[in-house]
Amino acid sequence: MHTAPKSGIFPVFLYILQFVTDNPLALIFQVENRPKYYGREYHGMISREETDQLLSVAEGSYLIRESQRQPGTYTLALRFGNQTRNFRLFYDGKHFVGEKRFESIHDLVTDGLITLYIETKAAEYISKMTINPIYEHVGYTTLNREPALKKKPPATLWQPLKLFAYSQLTSLVRRATLKESERAPKYEKVHNFKVHTFRGPHWCEYCANFMWGLIAQGVKCADCGLNVHKQCSKMVPNDCKPDLKHVKKVYSCDLTTLVKAHNTKRPMVVDMCIREIEARGLKSEGLYRISGFSDLIEDVKLAFDRDGEKADISGNVYEDINVITGALKLYFRDLPIPVITYDAYPRFIEAAKLTDPDERLEALHEALKQLPPAHCETLRYLMAHLKRVTQNEKDNLMNAENLGIVFGPTLMRAPDLDAMTALNDIRYQRQVLELLIKNEDILF
């Protein structure tokens, strides 16, 4: 019997358990009119008692039966720990009894046996995995390459285990040695964890323990590549440092993710478009109100997604400045979280509803504090630019009120409000932007 180690071999203990788990054994039966997505492990409508007797032949044996209590529903019966365990079985193109979905019943049962065995034999160990994690000792900076083994792993069990553990742990140590860019602003960012299936053995980069199972063994940050157990993901600090290898595009990318990936204060789209507009478009009549050709705006978007800060948006390529203003507005509209975030939105709307001018500015100042740093800095930079646009009103005919109408719905989106409330909010959105532009020097 395997018991949890007290020290020394933490990273490999769970790995060992996975490979001493019982193998699945399908009990074969020939039955007519079985569901097309089940094989010969299907036994038709049989009782729990008969199922228990059939499965008593071996640990890891399993079959599928139709429920007697609820005809038309199916049960996976599995022998584990000298007991028959019954699970409601579903199929939607893949087989599942919980969150994980499998191409075959065999894979589902294999993964289930691994999970049951590890979570039974190592329950106490698993409950303490997040205590004193390696993450707290080595810190975190993005590095997503594992060292190549200089020689083939030996045939014995322990040496390959040590090599795998060593490669994972040294990866973590190397993460801590990387120096963050001097100009990178210290923006906090939560990890963007997604359920992930790892090919080959993987160790959690939070607790340094093996990630068990056949599929969906843990979660991976889509922005920086950090791999952790699902339960460990709740403990990881909000210190995601996006890697350009994972951040594939500029438009539709979370604002904080983009600036952290490029080590900038603001998205390069904002800086580059505003520089171009101020260089040759501040006096253009109807600036930001007049739309450029949508096909050309889409070209600018593709250029930024493809080339990033090397994108050419000069007058030689895009003569019409309205194409550049259109591309900037599109960037803001495409953000998954608006510049004025959903969480902060109500504070801005309430501020706009105040009638006393001093109270209104104070409320806006407090609302700005609710924005993530990257959002606040981007908004500050944009408002300073729009203030300069209004200073050329004589030529471009754009004042703060006009710009508020244009940018209100672009920078602010109502969070799941009913249609009538959202419609009523439009005038307050305009007022918020007008106030931010006019009082840019005071509020920021």
Side-chain angles (χ1 to χ4, degrees):
M1 177 177 176
H2 295 275
T3 57
K6 295 181 179 178
S7 63
I9 59 168
F10 292 133
V12 297
F13 171 58
L14 301 177
Y15 181 85
I16 296 169
L17 290 186
Q18 173 154 322
F19 285 89
V20 295
T21 304
D22 292 307
N23 292 320
L25 173 65
L27 294 189
I28 304 303
F29 188 69
Q30 190 63 45
V31 61
E32 295 182 2
N33 300 321
R34 66 170 179 257
K36 61 181 180 180
Y37 37 83
Y38 296 137
R40 290 192 293 167
E41 71 276 359
Y42 179 72
H43 284 238
M45 188 179 289
I46 60 174
S47 67
R48 285 187 172 224
E49 293 73 22
E50 186 178 353
T51 299
D52 190 56
Q53 185 175 4
L54 289 170
L55 294 180
S56 63
V57 295
E59 286 286 288
S61 58
Y62 69 94
L63 59 81
I64 297 172
R65 62 181 178 85
E66 185 176 2
S67 172
Q68 290 183 324
R69 295 177 182 175
Q70 294 180 289
T73 65
Y74 303 97
T75 298
L76 171 65
L78 173 65
R79 192 72 174 182
F80 176 81
N82 295 318
Q83 293 181 333
T84 298
R85 307 200 178 202
N86 294 281
F87 303 91
R88 179 78 175 272
L89 187 59
F90 300 90
Y91 181 80
D92 63 355
K94 291 187 178 182
H95 305 279
F96 63 100
V97 297
E99 291 182 354
K100 296 184 180 182
R101 283 165 163 71
F102 300 83
E103 296 289 347
S104 69
I105 293 294
H106 182 272
D107 285 350
L108 187 157
V109 174
T110 301
D111 186 84
L113 286 170
I114 290 170
T115 301
L116 286 170
Y117 190 83
I118 289 179
E119 293 183 356
T120 300
K121 302 297 182 184
E124 182 180 359
Y125 179 83
I126 291 171
S127 69
K128 297 178 179 179
M129 284 194 313
T130 57
I131 298 175
N132 194 29
I134 190 171
Y135 197 93
E136 291 183 1
H137 299 292
V138 302
Y140 167 72
T141 38
T142 305
L143 180 65
N144 295 290
R145 295 193 308 273
E146 300 302 338
L149 298 179
K150 293 183 179 179
K151 58 181 179 179
K152 290 184 179 180
T156 61
L157 173 66
W158 284 99
Q159 284 178 311
L161 288 176
K162 289 177 181 177
L163 285 168
F164 276 123
Y166 176 78
S167 69
Q168 295 287 335
L169 297 180
T170 52
S171 170
L172 285 170
V173 173
R174 290 204 315 280
R175 289 173 186 269
T177 65
L178 293 181
K179 291 183 179 179
E180 192 174 4
S181 169
E182 292 291 333
R183 63 192 180 96
K186 302 297 187 289
Y187 292 159
E188 183 180 90
K189 181 190 177 312
V190 298
H191 289 271
N192 182 18
F193 287 120
K194 307 287 186 185
V195 175
H196 189 77
T197 294
F198 299 95
R199 304 301 176 190
H202 270 73
W203 274 258
C204 175
E205 295 176 77
Y206 181 77
C207 71
N209 283 286
F210 179 64
M211 302 169 76
W212 63 88
L214 281 189
I215 69 167
Q217 302 95 331
V219 294
K220 184 185 191 79
C221 178
D223 297 332
C224 72
L226 186 71
N227 305 319
V228 296
H229 291 111
K230 186 175 180 180
Q231 68 209 65
C232 289
S233 68
K234 301 170 186 175
M235 312 293 292
V236 177
N238 296 337
D239 60 355
C240 177
K241 295 177 176 61
D243 190 320
L244 288 175
K245 182 170 67 175
H246 299 282
V247 180
K248 301 294 187 184
K249 56 186 179 179
V250 172
Y251 278 67
S252 303
C253 177
D254 172 69
L255 194 153
T256 302
T257 298
L258 188 67
V259 298
K260 292 200 76 172
H262 289 270
N263 287 329
T264 57
K265 288 184 177 181
R266 299 171 296 273
M268 94 282 285
V269 180
V270 177
D271 281 12
M272 290 175 63
C273 286
I274 286 178
R275 280 200 302 267
E276 194 66 27
I277 292 163
E278 295 198 351
R280 59 185 176 97
L282 281 180
K283 298 184 184 297
S284 177
E285 184 176 330
L287 190 67
Y288 286 112
R289 180 177 56 79
I290 297 174
S291 299
F293 288 111
S294 58
D295 288 350
L296 293 178
I297 292 172
E298 189 67 24
D299 283 347
V300 175
K301 172 183 175 179
L302 294 175
F304 275 117
D305 281 341
R306 182 183 63 247
D307 304 323
E309 59 189 15
K310 295 181 180 179
D312 185 357
I313 58 171
S314 67
N316 295 329
V317 182
Y318 302 102
E319 183 179 355
D320 183 4
I321 198 63
N322 297 311
V323 171
I324 308 304
T325 60
L328 181 60
K329 290 186 292 182
L330 178 62
Y331 170 75
F332 289 128
R333 286 198 302 272
D334 278 359
L335 285 173
I337 300 174
V339 173
I340 293 178
T341 62
Y342 295 121
D343 289 340
Y345 180 91
R347 299 285 294 270
F348 282 89
I349 295 298
E350 290 305 314
K353 292 179 179 179
L354 296 173
T355 55
D356 183 271
D358 292 335
E359 289 182 5
R360 190 161 49 190
L361 285 181
E362 181 59 30
L364 276 177
H365 184 68
E366 291 301 313
L368 286 168
K369 294 178 182 178
Q370 303 300 311
L371 295 178
H375 286 245
C376 191
E377 168 58 22
T378 301
L379 186 62
R380 181 201 66 79
Y381 190 74
L382 177 62
M383 293 304 104
H385 162 64
L386 295 181
K387 184 83 169 279
R388 290 189 289 274
V389 172
T390 64
Q391 291 168 355
N392 289 272
E393 180 187 354
K394 183 178 178 181
D395 297 300
N396 61 38
L397 306 181
M398 296 298 290
N399 57 28
E401 182 179 357
N402 294 336
L403 291 169
I405 293 171
V406 172
F407 278 95
T410 303
L411 301 181
M412 303 178 70
R413 296 200 292 274
D416 300 323
L417 297 180
D418 61 85
M420 186 58 66
T421 304
L423 190 63
N424 290 333
D425 276 1
I426 291 177
R427 65 186 176 117
Y428 296 116
Q429 292 172 359
R430 174 187 61 76
Q431 289 175 19
V432 167
L433 267 295
E434 185 178 347
L435 287 166
L436 289 174
I437 294 169
K438 286 181 175 179
N439 300 281
E440 168 268 331
D441 53 340
I442 300 172
L443 291 171
F444 293 94

